[in-house]
PDB file of all heavy atoms in Angstrom:
ATOM      1  N   ASN A  53       0.214  -6.598   5.413  1.00  0.00           N
ATOM      2  CA  ASN A  53      -0.253  -6.145   6.719  1.00  0.00           C
ATOM      3  C   ASN A  53      -1.294  -7.124   7.281  1.00  0.00           C
ATOM      4  O   ASN A  53      -2.519  -6.860   7.266  1.00  0.00           O
ATOM      5  CB  ASN A  53      -0.819  -4.711   6.596  1.00  0.00           C
ATOM      6  CG  ASN A  53      -0.973  -4.046   7.925  1.00  0.00           C
ATOM      7  OD1 ASN A  53      -0.967  -4.695   8.978  1.00  0.00           O
ATOM      8  ND2 ASN A  53      -1.117  -2.729   7.886  1.00  0.00           N
ATOM      9  N   ILE A  54      -0.798  -8.265   7.761  1.00  0.00           N
ATOM     10  CA  ILE A  54      -1.694  -9.376   8.113  1.00  0.00           C
ATOM     11  C   ILE A  54      -2.591  -9.059   9.323  1.00  0.00           C
ATOM     12  O   ILE A  54      -3.785  -9.344   9.279  1.00  0.00           O
ATOM     13  CB  ILE A  54      -0.841 -10.642   8.394  1.00  0.00           C
ATOM     14  CG1 ILE A  54      -0.124 -11.007   7.079  1.00  0.00           C
ATOM     15  CG2 ILE A  54      -1.714 -11.812   8.854  1.00  0.00           C
ATOM     16  CD1 ILE A  54       1.129 -11.796   7.286  1.00  0.00           C
ATOM     17  N   ASP A  55      -2.038  -8.427  10.330  1.00  0.00           N
ATOM     18  CA  ASP A  55      -2.832  -8.137  11.536  1.00  0.00           C
ATOM     19  C   ASP A  55      -4.027  -7.250  11.186  1.00  0.00           C
ATOM     20  O   ASP A  55      -5.159  -7.513  11.607  1.00  0.00           O
ATOM     21  CB  ASP A  55      -2.010  -7.470  12.625  1.00  0.00           C
ATOM     22  CG  ASP A  55      -1.017  -8.461  13.221  1.00  0.00           C
ATOM     23  OD1 ASP A  55      -1.216  -9.681  13.093  1.00  0.00           O
ATOM     24  OD2 ASP A  55       0.015  -8.016  13.816  1.00  0.00           O
ATOM     25  N   ALA A  56      -3.767  -6.225  10.354  1.00  0.00           N
ATOM     26  CA  ALA A  56      -4.857  -5.333   9.991  1.00  0.00           C
ATOM     27  C   ALA A  56      -5.894  -6.060   9.138  1.00  0.00           C
ATOM     28  O   ALA A  56      -7.106  -5.878   9.320  1.00  0.00           O
ATOM     29  CB  ALA A  56      -4.313  -4.117   9.229  1.00  0.00           C
ATOM     30  N   ALA A  57      -5.418  -6.905   8.216  1.00  0.00           N
ATOM     31  CA  ALA A  57      -6.330  -7.596   7.324  1.00  0.00           C
ATOM     32  C   ALA A  57      -7.202  -8.577   8.114  1.00  0.00           C
ATOM     33  O   ALA A  57      -8.412  -8.704   7.857  1.00  0.00           O
ATOM     34  CB  ALA A  57      -5.573  -8.325   6.230  1.00  0.00           C
ATOM     35  N   VAL A  58      -6.600  -9.287   9.078  1.00  0.00           N
ATOM     36  CA  VAL A  58      -7.315 -10.238   9.904  1.00  0.00           C
ATOM     37  C   VAL A  58      -8.400  -9.503  10.713  1.00  0.00           C
ATOM     38  O   VAL A  58      -9.560  -9.944  10.805  1.00  0.00           O
ATOM     39  CB  VAL A  58      -6.321 -11.008  10.802  1.00  0.00           C
ATOM     40  CG1 VAL A  58      -7.006 -11.613  12.007  1.00  0.00           C
ATOM     41  CG2 VAL A  58      -5.577 -12.057   9.992  1.00  0.00           C
ATOM     42  N   ASP A  59      -7.988  -8.370  11.288  1.00  0.00           N
ATOM     43  CA  ASP A  59      -8.962  -7.544  12.065  1.00  0.00           C
ATOM     44  C   ASP A  59     -10.134  -7.142  11.159  1.00  0.00           C
ATOM     45  O   ASP A  59     -11.291  -7.238  11.553  1.00  0.00           O
ATOM     46  CB  ASP A  59      -8.231  -6.329  12.617  1.00  0.00           C
ATOM     47  CG  ASP A  59      -9.170  -5.445  13.404  1.00  0.00           C
ATOM     48  OD1 ASP A  59      -9.512  -5.804  14.518  1.00  0.00           O
ATOM     49  OD2 ASP A  59      -9.574  -4.357  12.860  1.00  0.00           O
ATOM     50  N   GLN A  60      -9.811  -6.686   9.944  1.00  0.00           N
ATOM     51  CA  GLN A  60     -10.885  -6.247   8.996  1.00  0.00           C
ATOM     52  C   GLN A  60     -11.803  -7.421   8.638  1.00  0.00           C
ATOM     53  O   GLN A  60     -13.030  -7.254   8.529  1.00  0.00           O
ATOM     54  CB  GLN A  60     -10.250  -5.697   7.744  1.00  0.00           C
ATOM     55  CG  GLN A  60      -9.546  -4.350   7.938  1.00  0.00           C
ATOM     56  CD  GLN A  60      -8.816  -3.886   6.696  1.00  0.00           C
ATOM     57  OE1 GLN A  60      -8.511  -4.685   5.807  1.00  0.00           O
ATOM     58  NE2 GLN A  60      -8.554  -2.623   6.605  1.00  0.00           N
ATOM     59  N   ALA A  61     -11.202  -8.584   8.456  1.00  0.00           N
ATOM     60  CA  ALA A  61     -12.015  -9.742   8.058  1.00  0.00           C
ATOM     61  C   ALA A  61     -12.994 -10.127   9.154  1.00  0.00           C
ATOM     62  O   ALA A  61     -14.177 -10.454   8.876  1.00  0.00           O
ATOM     63  CB  ALA A  61     -11.085 -10.929   7.733  1.00  0.00           C
ATOM     64  N   ILE A  62     -12.559 -10.042  10.423  1.00  0.00           N
ATOM     65  CA  ILE A  62     -13.448 -10.375  11.536  1.00  0.00           C
ATOM     66  C   ILE A  62     -14.539  -9.298  11.671  1.00  0.00           C
ATOM     67  O   ILE A  62     -15.735  -9.611  11.760  1.00  0.00           O
ATOM     68  CB  ILE A  62     -12.652 -10.498  12.867  1.00  0.00           C
ATOM     69  CG1 ILE A  62     -11.618 -11.609  12.768  1.00  0.00           C
ATOM     70  CG2 ILE A  62     -13.604 -10.700  14.042  1.00  0.00           C
ATOM     71  CD1 ILE A  62     -12.204 -12.985  12.537  1.00  0.00           C
ATOM     72  N   ARG A  63     -14.134  -8.045  11.642  1.00  0.00           N
ATOM     73  CA  ARG A  63     -15.123  -6.961  11.853  1.00  0.00           C
ATOM     74  C   ARG A  63     -16.157  -6.873  10.744  1.00  0.00           C
ATOM     75  O   ARG A  63     -17.288  -6.497  10.984  1.00  0.00           O
ATOM     76  CB  ARG A  63     -14.389  -5.593  11.938  1.00  0.00           C
ATOM     77  CG  ARG A  63     -13.609  -5.457  13.233  1.00  0.00           C
ATOM     78  CD  ARG A  63     -12.919  -4.071  13.278  1.00  0.00           C
ATOM     79  NE  ARG A  63     -11.957  -3.945  14.351  1.00  0.00           N
ATOM     80  CZ  ARG A  63     -12.313  -3.614  15.606  1.00  0.00           C
ATOM     81  NH1 ARG A  63     -13.552  -3.325  15.915  1.00  0.00           N
ATOM     82  NH2 ARG A  63     -11.374  -3.546  16.550  1.00  0.00           N
ATOM     83  N   THR A  64     -15.754  -7.194   9.520  1.00  0.00           N
ATOM     84  CA  THR A  64     -16.714  -7.049   8.404  1.00  0.00           C
ATOM     85  C   THR A  64     -17.515  -8.327   8.197  1.00  0.00           C
ATOM     86  O   THR A  64     -18.542  -8.306   7.486  1.00  0.00           O
ATOM     87  CB  THR A  64     -15.997  -6.779   7.078  1.00  0.00           C
ATOM     88  OG1 THR A  64     -15.043  -7.835   6.829  1.00  0.00           O
ATOM     89  CG2 THR A  64     -15.266  -5.446   7.095  1.00  0.00           C
ATOM     90  N   GLY A  65     -17.046  -9.430   8.775  1.00  0.00           N
ATOM     91  CA  GLY A  65     -17.752 -10.729   8.538  1.00  0.00           C
ATOM     92  C   GLY A  65     -17.503 -11.263   7.123  1.00  0.00           C
ATOM     93  O   GLY A  65     -18.302 -12.011   6.585  1.00  0.00           O
ATOM     94  N   ALA A  66     -16.364 -10.871   6.531  1.00  0.00           N
ATOM     95  CA  ALA A  66     -16.041 -11.338   5.154  1.00  0.00           C
ATOM     96  C   ALA A  66     -15.948 -12.867   5.127  1.00  0.00           C
ATOM     97  O   ALA A  66     -15.479 -13.491   6.096  1.00  0.00           O
ATOM     98  CB  ALA A  66     -14.723 -10.714   4.708  1.00  0.00           C
ATOM     99  N   ARG A  67     -16.320 -13.440   3.957  1.00  0.00           N
ATOM    100  CA  ARG A  67     -16.266 -14.898   3.853  1.00  0.00           C
ATOM    101  C   ARG A  67     -14.925 -15.349   3.237  1.00  0.00           C
ATOM    102  O   ARG A  67     -14.602 -16.519   3.247  1.00  0.00           O
ATOM    103  CB  ARG A  67     -17.429 -15.401   2.963  1.00  0.00           C
ATOM    104  CG  ARG A  67     -18.786 -15.253   3.662  1.00  0.00           C
ATOM    105  CD  ARG A  67     -19.839 -16.044   2.943  1.00  0.00           C
ATOM    106  NE  ARG A  67     -20.059 -15.573   1.580  1.00  0.00           N
ATOM    107  CZ  ARG A  67     -20.882 -14.585   1.254  1.00  0.00           C
ATOM    108  NH1 ARG A  67     -21.573 -13.981   2.197  1.00  0.00           N
ATOM    109  NH2 ARG A  67     -21.034 -14.194  -0.015  1.00  0.00           N
ATOM    110  N   ALA A  68     -14.184 -14.415   2.614  1.00  0.00           N
ATOM    111  CA  ALA A  68     -12.916 -14.788   1.985  1.00  0.00           C
ATOM    112  C   ALA A  68     -11.863 -13.749   2.309  1.00  0.00           C
ATOM    113  O   ALA A  68     -12.162 -12.562   2.468  1.00  0.00           O
ATOM    114  CB  ALA A  68     -13.064 -14.914   0.490  1.00  0.00           C
ATOM    115  N   LEU A  69     -10.612 -14.238   2.451  1.00  0.00           N
ATOM    116  CA  LEU A  69      -9.500 -13.356   2.827  1.00  0.00           C
ATOM    117  C   LEU A  69      -8.316 -13.710   1.932  1.00  0.00           C
ATOM    118  O   LEU A  69      -7.997 -14.889   1.747  1.00  0.00           O
ATOM    119  CB  LEU A  69      -9.149 -13.575   4.298  1.00  0.00           C
ATOM    120  CG  LEU A  69      -7.892 -12.885   4.841  1.00  0.00           C
ATOM    121  CD1 LEU A  69      -8.025 -11.357   4.770  1.00  0.00           C
ATOM    122  CD2 LEU A  69      -7.655 -13.316   6.294  1.00  0.00           C
TER     123      LEU A  69
END
Side-chain angles (χ1 to χ4, degrees):
N53 195 343
I54 296 155
D55 290 339
V58 159
D59 179 74
Q60 291 176 338
I62 298 299
R63 289 181 191 274
T64 57
R67 291 193 298 273
L69 173 62

